[in-house]
Amino acid sequence: MLRTVPLAGELTSSLISRVAARYGLPTAGVLRLWTCRNSPARHDGASVRADAEVVLNGAGRGVLAELCGVESEVLARALPAFTVDDPKISTSREAGVAQTRWRVASAVAGPAAFGCRLCTARRTGQALRAVRYLPRWHRVCLRHGRWLLDADADQPLEHLDVRGAAEVVAAQRRWPGVARRAVRAGVEPEQAFTLAHAVVARWWEQAVYWEQEEIWPRRLHHLAGGNAGSRLAWWRIVGRDAAIFPEVVAVAQALLEPAMAEVAWQASGGMKPRARSADDAFCHRLGERVGRTWLGPELAADHGNPLHDWKGAIVRARRHETAPLGWQEDPWHLKREQQPATMAGQLRVMAAEAQSGGSGTRWRATVPAEQRFRITQLVDEAREQLVELRSVHSGTTAEVARTLLERLSHSVGLIDQALVHTAAAAVASGVALEEVAQWSRLPAEELAAVLALGEGED
């Protein structure tokens, strides 16, 4: 019996694959030791996903322990999915039969990433692929200078070389301190990281149009091996999380500091609310924290983002105000629509767009990113204006009426601009003007006249 030791946090399916390699057998051959009535998750290209996980019943766990030559207790400590029960097999009348069921790793014990092969070889003597459950804030192998990539995406790389990106490695070393600060502040480290990641991932999308941004392009080209070249769009997806990691850690640390909450409070006007301006002190300070002194006005102009919601919750708490309907009191709560797309999701969209061949059947394939961002920005700003109207119903009739009418008029103007931009994008992409006019609830002649004036004349 050959002994195969598990890695800490390893997927059970990954261990089974390494056991098979140890015996010189195909993984499929070893899997026949268990009864299984479903199939592993696959990519659109039919290949099995690297994060396909197996859940075993009691008898199945015993088979794996015997196969590895390792006690079940050791496997239970190392493998997060080893003791997970699946009702479809654990309550079966065949409970005494070794059974397994395929699941997706993220639905079992969290996000999965490729393990460092050099570390795997050092620990097990096998220089093989391993897949481990790894939180997104623990993706740098400090020993070998590798960023470990998500295992759920359909792409060939397992890691990115960050040995020359000292700031990425330094951010990984700083994170435990940030996590401890979060705990002291009564915040779950995962919440702090998730919010900061959403904030910075939004900046990443906007940074394509920031003329002064020099840090991320240089870092991304380094991660791509020196030059992303003609595959820049692909590398912007695959390299995003590694490229923005230093800024994510910096933002998480900043938002956890009471001093930053005080800056946000003062910038809002305190107990005398004032409109946000381009010289917003909080946005300026946050720009400085990520090494971009010019970033403040860009952040101040961005409405509907997770950072703005965080500030709003902090300010409402100090004013003892109730959150608007549908909003959370918790400043660390991230709305579903604000969660950034994953690498796997973005690559699927890119593949679908490539297949459409620019025919106009896919919005993202035919509408420029800048135009899409402008539409989103207008809608977000209008939404923010309308939400703020919930708390303006106190005061004299003239004051309330003036505030309501001015802000409603401004919101209507923003929505009108978004409508024109959207209609122009649809027509430019080949959608019939008559259909666009019907959806816009405008006469075709009137819409044609508006579009003829050009989108720039908002």
Side-chain angles (χ1 to χ4, degrees), residues 2 4-7 10-36 50 52-57 60-68 75 79 81-82 98-102 126 128-131:
L2 298 176
T4 306
V5 296
L7 299 169
E10 188 173 11
L11 271 64
T12 305
S13 58
S14 173
L15 176 60
I16 291 174
S17 294
R18 291 198 299 108
V19 169
R22 184 94 171 182
Y23 284 95
L25 298 171
T27 302
V30 173
L31 284 169
R32 293 194 183 98
L33 295 172
W34 293 270
T35 299
C36 183
E53 176 63 298
V54 292
V55 176
L56 309 171
N57 67 348
R61 293 165 193 153
V63 170
L64 181 57
E66 183 179 354
L67 195 62
C68 293
L75 295 181
L79 308 178
F82 187 72
Q99 298 180 69
T100 185
R101 183 171 181 80
W102 286 102
Q126 295 175 289
L128 300 174
R129 186 184 83 175
V131 183

Side-chain angles (χ1 to χ4, degrees), residues 75-333:
L75 295 181
R77 287 195 298 269
L79 308 178
F82 187 72
T83 57
V84 173
D85 290 319
D86 189 308
K88 295 189 177 181
I89 56 175
S90 50
T91 60
S92 169
R93 288 177 294 180
E94 300 176 325
V97 176
Q99 298 180 69
T100 185
R101 183 171 181 80
W102 286 102
R103 302 273 295 276
V104 175
S106 59
V108 178
F114 293 106
C116 173
R117 290 202 183 213
L118 297 178
C119 288
T120 300
R122 184 173 178 271
R123 174 75 175 84
T124 69
Q126 295 175 289
L128 300 174
R129 186 184 83 175
V131 183
R132 300 170 59 200
Y133 289 102
L134 284 175
R136 300 191 186 281
W137 55 82
H138 189 59
R139 292 297 178 86
V140 178
C141 170
L142 294 174
R143 181 183 294 275
H144 300 110
R146 293 179 167 185
W147 177 273
L148 307 175
L149 291 166
D150 291 343
D152 61 345
D154 189 8
Q155 58 86 30
L157 301 180
E158 294 182 13
H159 70 270
L160 301 177
D161 188 346
V162 295
R163 287 175 295 178
E167 63 274 25
V168 176
V169 177
Q172 183 67 82
R173 296 186 187 278
R174 286 202 316 275
W175 171 252
V178 177
R180 289 191 294 271
R181 178 187 287 271
V183 173
R184 290 195 298 270
V187 179
E188 290 290 334
E190 180 178 359
Q191 282 186 299
F193 182 87
T194 300
L195 180 67
H197 182 266
V199 169
V200 182
R202 183 178 175 95
W203 297 352
W204 176 259
E205 296 303 318
Q206 299 168 2
V208 176
Y209 313 107
W210 292 345
E211 294 182 0
Q212 293 175 276
E213 178 57 47
E214 298 177 350
I215 298 174
W216 279 340
R218 183 171 61 251
R219 193 181 295 161
L220 181 63
H221 284 301
H222 174 82
L223 294 172
N227 191 340
S230 61
R231 302 189 69 196
L232 178 60
W234 187 87
W235 276 109
R236 276 186 54 80
I237 294 173
V238 175
R240 181 196 67 183
D241 287 352
I244 69 175
F245 187 62
E247 288 75 16
V248 171
V249 174
V251 169
Q253 181 173 352
L255 297 185
L256 288 165
E257 295 174 1
M260 286 297 287
E262 180 64 27
V263 174
W265 167 249
Q266 296 297 335
S268 73
M271 298 303 293
K272 297 180 179 179
R274 61 169 176 260
R276 182 171 47 177
S277 63
D279 61 350
D280 184 284
F282 175 82
C283 295
H284 179 71
R285 183 76 62 84
L286 196 60
E288 290 180 331
R289 294 295 292 268
V290 295
R292 295 162 174 84
T293 56
W294 50 266
L295 187 55
E298 298 285 353
L299 302 185
D302 185 18
H303 296 265
N305 60 77
L307 186 62
H308 180 68
D309 290 354
W310 180 88
K311 289 173 57 183
I314 294 293
V315 171
R316 285 193 300 272
R318 292 204 180 192
R319 291 178 184 157
H320 305 290
E321 295 178 351
T322 302
L325 184 64
W327 288 49
Q328 293 284 333
E329 298 284 2
D330 182 6
W332 301 97
H333 173 76

